[in-house]
Amino acid sequence: QFLLTSITTTKTMTSHPDTKIDCSKVYVKKSTFSNEETGDFDGAFAAVAIKEGDLIEKGVMRRLPEGFDGNTCPYIFTWSEKRPCTTWGMGSGCAPFYNTCKEGTANTRMVRYFDEDRFEIFANRDIEKDEELL
């Protein structure tokens, strides 16, 4: 009975209009890119079909302490236009689980609002339900 209630609640969950974080269109599970060579790692997937240009996820970024080297951690983001990057951020929601791909093949794009420490992720093309987000 508890499991059925949990599933029903998940299907009807909606975001509050004032939320700074919304990843309700995304879920995380083992990446389709995991293999014997790379080992197991997680990826972000579309929980629903998403149309080109649609907002997939929005969230906040927390700046990491000065001196932190983001080159040693794959789960954080460059958080500055300055190169080489010396400002790194930890993203909310499912954003850290979007895996990278060859340039020009990503099905998503992140718009970064550095001055507001927030981001939005949009669909570059139509994305099918359960497709991995890159």
Side-chain angles (χ1 to χ4, degrees), residues 99-121:
N99 288 307
T100 57
C101 60
K102 292 181 181 180
E103 191 171 334
T105 62
N107 55 12
T108 66
R109 73 181 181 288
M110 178 185 277
V111 177
R112 300 167 192 226
Y113 302 94
F114 297 120
D115 58 333
E116 299 174 35
D117 286 337
R118 68 182 185 89
F119 65 88
E120 294 176 331
I121 299 174

PDB file of all heavy atoms in Angstrom, residues 99-121:
ATOM      1  N   ASN A  99      25.714  14.144 -18.611  1.00  0.00           N
ATOM      2  CA  ASN A  99      27.044  13.754 -19.079  1.00  0.00           C
ATOM      3  C   ASN A  99      27.422  14.541 -20.324  1.00  0.00           C
ATOM      4  O   ASN A  99      26.574  15.054 -21.045  1.00  0.00           O
ATOM      5  CB  ASN A  99      27.099  12.247 -19.328  1.00  0.00           C
ATOM      6  CG  ASN A  99      27.081  11.492 -18.018  1.00  0.00           C
ATOM      7  OD1 ASN A  99      27.883  11.760 -17.134  1.00  0.00           O
ATOM      8  ND2 ASN A  99      26.152  10.558 -17.874  1.00  0.00           N
ATOM      9  N   THR A 100      28.718  14.644 -20.561  1.00  0.00           N
ATOM     10  CA  THR A 100      29.212  15.377 -21.716  1.00  0.00           C
ATOM     11  C   THR A 100      29.233  14.480 -22.954  1.00  0.00           C
ATOM     12  O   THR A 100      29.163  13.259 -22.838  1.00  0.00           O
ATOM     13  CB  THR A 100      30.621  15.927 -21.457  1.00  0.00           C
ATOM     14  OG1 THR A 100      31.479  14.837 -21.121  1.00  0.00           O
ATOM     15  CG2 THR A 100      30.619  16.935 -20.329  1.00  0.00           C
ATOM     16  N   CYS A 101      29.315  15.098 -24.104  1.00  0.00           N
ATOM     17  CA  CYS A 101      29.355  14.349 -25.366  1.00  0.00           C
ATOM     18  C   CYS A 101      30.186  15.140 -26.366  1.00  0.00           C
ATOM     19  O   CYS A 101      30.658  16.239 -26.064  1.00  0.00           O
ATOM     20  CB  CYS A 101      27.943  14.111 -25.879  1.00  0.00           C
ATOM     21  SG  CYS A 101      27.029  15.635 -26.181  1.00  0.00           S
ATOM     22  N   LYS A 102      30.337  14.595 -27.541  1.00  0.00           N
ATOM     23  CA  LYS A 102      31.093  15.288 -28.586  1.00  0.00           C
ATOM     24  C   LYS A 102      30.417  16.618 -28.915  1.00  0.00           C
ATOM     25  O   LYS A 102      29.192  16.720 -28.925  1.00  0.00           O
ATOM     26  CB  LYS A 102      31.169  14.426 -29.842  1.00  0.00           C
ATOM     27  CG  LYS A 102      32.016  13.190 -29.666  1.00  0.00           C
ATOM     28  CD  LYS A 102      32.070  12.384 -30.950  1.00  0.00           C
ATOM     29  CE  LYS A 102      32.908  11.146 -30.734  1.00  0.00           C
ATOM     30  NZ  LYS A 102      33.001  10.329 -31.943  1.00  0.00           N
ATOM     31  N   GLU A 103      31.231  17.615 -29.183  1.00  0.00           N
ATOM     32  CA  GLU A 103      30.716  18.937 -29.498  1.00  0.00           C
ATOM     33  C   GLU A 103      29.723  18.866 -30.661  1.00  0.00           C
ATOM     34  O   GLU A 103      29.954  18.177 -31.653  1.00  0.00           O
ATOM     35  CB  GLU A 103      31.865  19.884 -29.849  1.00  0.00           C
ATOM     36  CG  GLU A 103      31.428  21.325 -29.938  1.00  0.00           C
ATOM     37  CD  GLU A 103      32.586  22.293 -30.059  1.00  0.00           C
ATOM     38  OE1 GLU A 103      33.692  21.970 -29.613  1.00  0.00           O
ATOM     39  OE2 GLU A 103      32.352  23.369 -30.614  1.00  0.00           O
ATOM     40  N   GLY A 104      28.611  19.554 -30.495  1.00  0.00           N
ATOM     41  CA  GLY A 104      27.602  19.584 -31.546  1.00  0.00           C
ATOM     42  C   GLY A 104      26.567  18.476 -31.460  1.00  0.00           C
ATOM     43  O   GLY A 104      25.634  18.450 -32.249  1.00  0.00           O
ATOM     44  N   THR A 105      26.715  17.551 -30.499  1.00  0.00           N
ATOM     45  CA  THR A 105      25.761  16.445 -30.404  1.00  0.00           C
ATOM     46  C   THR A 105      24.904  16.498 -29.136  1.00  0.00           C
ATOM     47  O   THR A 105      24.055  15.642 -28.948  1.00  0.00           O
ATOM     48  CB  THR A 105      26.484  15.080 -30.463  1.00  0.00           C
ATOM     49  OG1 THR A 105      27.376  14.981 -29.343  1.00  0.00           O
ATOM     50  CG2 THR A 105      27.255  14.921 -31.755  1.00  0.00           C
ATOM     51  N   ALA A 106      25.117  17.493 -28.297  1.00  0.00           N
ATOM     52  CA  ALA A 106      24.353  17.597 -27.057  1.00  0.00           C
ATOM     53  C   ALA A 106      22.880  17.864 -27.346  1.00  0.00           C
ATOM     54  O   ALA A 106      22.538  18.622 -28.253  1.00  0.00           O
ATOM     55  CB  ALA A 106      24.915  18.705 -26.177  1.00  0.00           C
ATOM     56  N   ASN A 107      22.000  17.246 -26.548  1.00  0.00           N
ATOM     57  CA  ASN A 107      20.564  17.501 -26.711  1.00  0.00           C
ATOM     58  C   ASN A 107      20.071  18.586 -25.752  1.00  0.00           C
ATOM     59  O   ASN A 107      18.903  18.922 -25.749  1.00  0.00           O
ATOM     60  CB  ASN A 107      19.753  16.210 -26.574  1.00  0.00           C
ATOM     61  CG  ASN A 107      19.993  15.475 -25.289  1.00  0.00           C
ATOM     62  OD1 ASN A 107      20.604  15.985 -24.348  1.00  0.00           O
ATOM     63  ND2 ASN A 107      19.516  14.231 -25.221  1.00  0.00           N
ATOM     64  N   THR A 108      20.997  19.133 -24.929  1.00  0.00           N
ATOM     65  CA  THR A 108      20.656  20.209 -24.002  1.00  0.00           C
ATOM     66  C   THR A 108      21.719  21.308 -24.056  1.00  0.00           C
ATOM     67  O   THR A 108      22.816  21.100 -24.563  1.00  0.00           O
ATOM     68  CB  THR A 108      20.572  19.705 -22.547  1.00  0.00           C
ATOM     69  OG1 THR A 108      21.868  19.294 -22.114  1.00  0.00           O
ATOM     70  CG2 THR A 108      19.578  18.568 -22.408  1.00  0.00           C
ATOM     71  N   ARG A 109      21.360  22.465 -23.497  1.00  0.00           N
ATOM     72  CA  ARG A 109      22.336  23.543 -23.318  1.00  0.00           C
ATOM     73  C   ARG A 109      22.027  24.253 -22.005  1.00  0.00           C
ATOM     74  O   ARG A 109      20.856  24.404 -21.635  1.00  0.00           O
ATOM     75  CB  ARG A 109      22.330  24.511 -24.490  1.00  0.00           C
ATOM     76  CG  ARG A 109      21.120  25.414 -24.551  1.00  0.00           C
ATOM     77  CD  ARG A 109      21.140  26.350 -25.760  1.00  0.00           C
ATOM     78  NE  ARG A 109      19.976  27.215 -25.780  1.00  0.00           N
ATOM     79  CZ  ARG A 109      18.737  26.830 -26.052  1.00  0.00           C
ATOM     80  NH1 ARG A 109      18.482  25.580 -26.330  1.00  0.00           N
ATOM     81  NH2 ARG A 109      17.743  27.707 -26.034  1.00  0.00           N
ATOM     82  N   MET A 110      23.076  24.647 -21.310  1.00  0.00           N
ATOM     83  CA  MET A 110      22.911  25.356 -20.046  1.00  0.00           C
ATOM     84  C   MET A 110      23.150  26.846 -20.273  1.00  0.00           C
ATOM     85  O   MET A 110      24.157  27.232 -20.855  1.00  0.00           O
ATOM     86  CB  MET A 110      23.900  24.849 -18.993  1.00  0.00           C
ATOM     87  CG  MET A 110      23.802  25.594 -17.669  1.00  0.00           C
ATOM     88  SD  MET A 110      25.052  25.097 -16.454  1.00  0.00           S
ATOM     89  CE  MET A 110      24.267  23.651 -15.767  1.00  0.00           C
ATOM     90  N   VAL A 111      22.215  27.647 -19.804  1.00  0.00           N
ATOM     91  CA  VAL A 111      22.382  29.102 -19.798  1.00  0.00           C
ATOM     92  C   VAL A 111      22.773  29.465 -18.373  1.00  0.00           C
ATOM     93  O   VAL A 111      22.060  29.127 -17.415  1.00  0.00           O
ATOM     94  CB  VAL A 111      21.082  29.825 -20.223  1.00  0.00           C
ATOM     95  CG1 VAL A 111      21.260  31.326 -20.143  1.00  0.00           C
ATOM     96  CG2 VAL A 111      20.675  29.388 -21.627  1.00  0.00           C
ATOM     97  N   ARG A 112      23.913  30.130 -18.247  1.00  0.00           N
ATOM     98  CA  ARG A 112      24.467  30.458 -16.930  1.00  0.00           C
ATOM     99  C   ARG A 112      24.280  31.940 -16.640  1.00  0.00           C
ATOM    100  O   ARG A 112      24.644  32.784 -17.452  1.00  0.00           O
ATOM    101  CB  ARG A 112      25.957  30.103 -16.896  1.00  0.00           C
ATOM    102  CG  ARG A 112      26.204  28.638 -17.161  1.00  0.00           C
ATOM    103  CD  ARG A 112      27.672  28.372 -17.445  1.00  0.00           C
ATOM    104  NE  ARG A 112      27.833  27.022 -17.961  1.00  0.00           N
ATOM    105  CZ  ARG A 112      28.750  26.167 -17.552  1.00  0.00           C
ATOM    106  NH1 ARG A 112      29.618  26.526 -16.637  1.00  0.00           N
ATOM    107  NH2 ARG A 112      28.818  24.975 -18.073  1.00  0.00           N
ATOM    108  N   TYR A 113      23.711  32.229 -15.491  1.00  0.00           N
ATOM    109  CA  TYR A 113      23.519  33.605 -15.030  1.00  0.00           C
ATOM    110  C   TYR A 113      24.493  33.815 -13.884  1.00  0.00           C
ATOM    111  O   TYR A 113      24.143  33.661 -12.709  1.00  0.00           O
ATOM    112  CB  TYR A 113      22.065  33.830 -14.597  1.00  0.00           C
ATOM    113  CG  TYR A 113      21.074  33.551 -15.712  1.00  0.00           C
ATOM    114  CD1 TYR A 113      20.462  32.308 -15.844  1.00  0.00           C
ATOM    115  CD2 TYR A 113      20.776  34.538 -16.654  1.00  0.00           C
ATOM    116  CE1 TYR A 113      19.558  32.052 -16.878  1.00  0.00           C
ATOM    117  CE2 TYR A 113      19.875  34.286 -17.689  1.00  0.00           C
ATOM    118  CZ  TYR A 113      19.273  33.041 -17.784  1.00  0.00           C
ATOM    119  OH  TYR A 113      18.383  32.789 -18.808  1.00  0.00           O
ATOM    120  N   PHE A 114      25.754  34.138 -14.250  1.00  0.00           N
ATOM    121  CA  PHE A 114      26.827  34.232 -13.260  1.00  0.00           C
ATOM    122  C   PHE A 114      26.523  35.243 -12.164  1.00  0.00           C
ATOM    123  O   PHE A 114      26.798  34.991 -10.996  1.00  0.00           O
ATOM    124  CB  PHE A 114      28.153  34.597 -13.940  1.00  0.00           C
ATOM    125  CG  PHE A 114      28.641  33.564 -14.917  1.00  0.00           C
ATOM    126  CD1 PHE A 114      28.824  33.886 -16.252  1.00  0.00           C
ATOM    127  CD2 PHE A 114      28.934  32.270 -14.507  1.00  0.00           C
ATOM    128  CE1 PHE A 114      29.287  32.937 -17.154  1.00  0.00           C
ATOM    129  CE2 PHE A 114      29.395  31.313 -15.399  1.00  0.00           C
ATOM    130  CZ  PHE A 114      29.569  31.658 -16.722  1.00  0.00           C
ATOM    131  N   ASP A 115      25.958  36.401 -12.529  1.00  0.00           N
ATOM    132  CA  ASP A 115      25.701  37.458 -11.554  1.00  0.00           C
ATOM    133  C   ASP A 115      24.567  37.111 -10.584  1.00  0.00           C
ATOM    134  O   ASP A 115      24.425  37.732  -9.533  1.00  0.00           O
ATOM    135  CB  ASP A 115      25.416  38.791 -12.251  1.00  0.00           C
ATOM    136  CG  ASP A 115      24.231  38.727 -13.205  1.00  0.00           C
ATOM    137  OD1 ASP A 115      23.938  37.619 -13.730  1.00  0.00           O
ATOM    138  OD2 ASP A 115      23.604  39.776 -13.446  1.00  0.00           O
ATOM    139  N   GLU A 116      23.752  36.109 -10.922  1.00  0.00           N
ATOM    140  CA  GLU A 116      22.640  35.700 -10.061  1.00  0.00           C
ATOM    141  C   GLU A 116      22.862  34.319  -9.444  1.00  0.00           C
ATOM    142  O   GLU A 116      22.009  33.832  -8.696  1.00  0.00           O
ATOM    143  CB  GLU A 116      21.342  35.686 -10.870  1.00  0.00           C
ATOM    144  CG  GLU A 116      20.973  37.042 -11.452  1.00  0.00           C
ATOM    145  CD  GLU A 116      19.759  36.959 -12.365  1.00  0.00           C
ATOM    146  OE1 GLU A 116      18.845  36.157 -12.083  1.00  0.00           O
ATOM    147  OE2 GLU A 116      19.742  37.701 -13.372  1.00  0.00           O
ATOM    148  N   ASP A 117      23.972  33.650  -9.786  1.00  0.00           N
ATOM    149  CA  ASP A 117      24.285  32.302  -9.303  1.00  0.00           C
ATOM    150  C   ASP A 117      23.119  31.336  -9.522  1.00  0.00           C
ATOM    151  O   ASP A 117      22.677  30.624  -8.623  1.00  0.00           O
ATOM    152  CB  ASP A 117      24.713  32.312  -7.829  1.00  0.00           C
ATOM    153  CG  ASP A 117      26.117  32.862  -7.654  1.00  0.00           C
ATOM    154  OD1 ASP A 117      26.905  32.829  -8.622  1.00  0.00           O
ATOM    155  OD2 ASP A 117      26.442  33.322  -6.552  1.00  0.00           O
ATOM    156  N   ARG A 118      22.656  31.331 -10.776  1.00  0.00           N
ATOM    157  CA  ARG A 118      21.584  30.412 -11.152  1.00  0.00           C
ATOM    158  C   ARG A 118      21.799  29.969 -12.595  1.00  0.00           C
ATOM    159  O   ARG A 118      22.607  30.555 -13.326  1.00  0.00           O
ATOM    160  CB  ARG A 118      20.205  31.039 -10.989  1.00  0.00           C
ATOM    161  CG  ARG A 118      19.908  32.159 -11.952  1.00  0.00           C
ATOM    162  CD  ARG A 118      18.529  32.793 -11.701  1.00  0.00           C
ATOM    163  NE  ARG A 118      18.217  33.783 -12.719  1.00  0.00           N
ATOM    164  CZ  ARG A 118      17.600  33.526 -13.871  1.00  0.00           C
ATOM    165  NH1 ARG A 118      17.199  32.293 -14.155  1.00  0.00           N
ATOM    166  NH2 ARG A 118      17.357  34.478 -14.736  1.00  0.00           N
ATOM    167  N   PHE A 119      21.073  28.914 -12.993  1.00  0.00           N
ATOM    168  CA  PHE A 119      21.193  28.391 -14.351  1.00  0.00           C
ATOM    169  C   PHE A 119      19.844  27.881 -14.832  1.00  0.00           C
ATOM    170  O   PHE A 119      18.939  27.630 -14.037  1.00  0.00           O
ATOM    171  CB  PHE A 119      22.234  27.256 -14.414  1.00  0.00           C
ATOM    172  CG  PHE A 119      21.831  26.032 -13.624  1.00  0.00           C
ATOM    173  CD1 PHE A 119      21.065  25.021 -14.203  1.00  0.00           C
ATOM    174  CD2 PHE A 119      22.200  25.888 -12.297  1.00  0.00           C
ATOM    175  CE1 PHE A 119      20.684  23.900 -13.482  1.00  0.00           C
ATOM    176  CE2 PHE A 119      21.821  24.768 -11.570  1.00  0.00           C
ATOM    177  CZ  PHE A 119      21.069  23.777 -12.157  1.00  0.00           C
ATOM    178  N   GLU A 120      19.732  27.739 -16.154  1.00  0.00           N
ATOM    179  CA  GLU A 120      18.580  27.110 -16.787  1.00  0.00           C
ATOM    180  C   GLU A 120      19.119  26.166 -17.860  1.00  0.00           C
ATOM    181  O   GLU A 120      20.096  26.487 -18.538  1.00  0.00           O
ATOM    182  CB  GLU A 120      17.668  28.155 -17.434  1.00  0.00           C
ATOM    183  CG  GLU A 120      17.015  29.081 -16.426  1.00  0.00           C
ATOM    184  CD  GLU A 120      16.187  30.178 -17.076  1.00  0.00           C
ATOM    185  OE1 GLU A 120      16.506  30.595 -18.217  1.00  0.00           O
ATOM    186  OE2 GLU A 120      15.231  30.628 -16.437  1.00  0.00           O
ATOM    187  N   ILE A 121      18.486  25.007 -18.007  1.00  0.00           N
ATOM    188  CA  ILE A 121      18.879  24.035 -19.021  1.00  0.00           C
ATOM    189  C   ILE A 121      17.715  23.869 -19.989  1.00  0.00           C
ATOM    190  O   ILE A 121      16.576  23.627 -19.568  1.00  0.00           O
ATOM    191  CB  ILE A 121      19.275  22.687 -18.382  1.00  0.00           C
ATOM    192  CG1 ILE A 121      20.468  22.890 -17.437  1.00  0.00           C
ATOM    193  CG2 ILE A 121      19.588  21.657 -19.460  1.00  0.00           C
ATOM    194  CD1 ILE A 121      20.861  21.657 -16.643  1.00  0.00           C
TER     195      ILE A 121
END
